[in-house]
Amino acid sequence: MAHGDITHIDIPVADLAQAAAFYSDLFGWEIAEREGFEGYPLWMAPNGLSGGGLAPREEGFTQPRSYVEVDSIDETIAKAEASGATVAMGKQPITAKSWWAVIVDPDGNHIGLFEGTTAD
C-alpha cells in the first residue's frame, strides 16, 4: 500500500466470539485468529483487500479506528504535532518489520498510523 492509503480498521468489542459471529454473518467477513496474534481475530472483507481486527474494548478505545499507511511514523507524528495533533500512543512494534502508533487530530479523532509490512 502507498502512503495515505487506509490499510486496516480495528473494531472494539466486548465479546470477541460474539462479534466474530455477528460480523461474519452480517457482512460475509472471514474472521480468524492468526499465529502471533492470539486474542485479536483479524477480519477480511470479501474483496480480499479490506480488513482489520476485532480488538478488546477498553478505556480510550470505544469507537472503530482506521489505520493509515505512512512512509515514516516518526516523520508523520512530527508533522501532525506541528499541525496541532497530539500523540495517544507512540510508535510500537507489531512485527520485526512493522510498527503502529495513534495520533489525535485537532478535532479529537483518533487515527492509527501503520508503517512497514506484515509479510514474511
Side-chain angles (χ1 to χ4, degrees):
M1 300 200 128
H3 182 87
D5 284 348
I6 301 293
T7 184
H8 188 88
I9 300 171
D10 273 341
I11 301 172
V13 299
D15 183 318
L16 293 172
Q18 179 182 11
F22 173 81
Y23 286 110
S24 179
D25 182 57
L26 186 65
F27 297 130
W29 292 352
E30 292 183 29
I31 303 173
E33 288 188 8
R34 293 185 173 76
E35 186 176 339
F37 296 94
E38 290 80 10
Y40 176 62
L42 297 171
W43 60 269
M44 179 63 62
N47 66 11
L49 301 172
S50 304
L54 300 177
R57 178 180 296 276
E58 57 188 40
E59 186 176 331
F61 181 48
T62 60
Q63 297 295 318
R65 181 185 305 140
S66 296
Y67 290 81
V68 179
E69 175 88 18
V70 296
D71 294 331
S72 167
I73 285 177
D74 297 324
E75 290 175 13
T76 302
I77 285 175
K79 188 173 182 178
E81 287 180 315
S83 297
T86 59
V87 177
M89 189 193 76
K91 185 177 178 180
Q92 301 289 318
I94 299 171
T95 68
K97 298 183 283 183
S98 61
W99 301 266
W100 69 299
V102 179
I103 61 170
V104 182
D105 75 10
D107 284 312
N109 298 299
H110 288 223
I111 307 295
L113 306 175
F114 174 82
E115 174 188 343
T117 180
T118 55
D120 292 334

